[in-house]
Amino acid sequence: MGSLFGDLAAACVALSVGVYLSIMAVIFWRLVLEEPPVRRALALPLTPMFLQNLGIPCGILAFAMRQTELALVAVLLICLGLVVSQQDVADLHPTIELPLLVMAIGSMVLIGAANLVA
């Protein structure tokens, strides 16, 4: 990715993955820092959502770096989140989830375009 378009695509992908991972870090710290009774109550609905949303930036990075092993880890994280999920799975707030979805789709489009151009 030596061209200007490639550099722009890399910056957008890095921003998208950084935002995704920072939100996942906040959820992780929420799970870790709460007192034990609250932590047990939060663990069941938050853990599947955490695993699924952690798999998305791993998948973006896997496609950007062309790493099949990281893509496998991303798929396994998403599948593990689906398997572990119960009926009461927590969701991200729509004001957070929609921009994350748009950034993830935009990152994948930019990765594909940069690979097509290069």
Side-chain angles (χ1 to χ4, degrees):
M1 289 194 199
S3 67
L4 179 63
F5 179 72
D7 292 340
L8 178 66
C12 289
V13 168
L15 176 71
S16 173
V17 170
V19 169
Y20 238 110
L21 291 179
S22 64
I23 290 174
M24 292 303 105
V26 168
I27 293 172
F28 179 74
W29 283 113
R30 172 74 193 237
L31 284 170
V32 170
L33 293 179
E34 289 292 335
E35 54 206 34
V38 176
R39 190 180 319 145
R40 278 190 292 268
L42 285 176
L44 287 177
L46 283 182
T47 302
M49 186 256 311
F50 177 76
L51 290 173
Q52 291 171 6
N53 284 322
L54 189 61
I56 293 170
C58 288
I60 292 170
L61 286 175
F63 287 120
M65 298 185 308
R66 297 179 182 160
Q67 294 289 324
T68 55
E69 294 86 6
L70 188 58
L72 178 65
V73 169
V75 169
L76 289 176
L77 279 172
I78 293 170
C79 290
L80 183 63
L82 290 173
V83 168
V84 174
S85 66
Q86 303 288 325
Q87 285 80 11
D88 55 345
V89 175
D91 289 330
L92 289 174
H93 196 274
T95 58
I96 296 173
E97 192 169 9
L98 184 62
L100 284 178
L101 178 64
V102 169
M103 286 190 331
I105 291 172
S107 294
M108 295 304 289
V109 167
L110 286 173
I111 291 169
N115 286 337
L116 185 66
V117 170

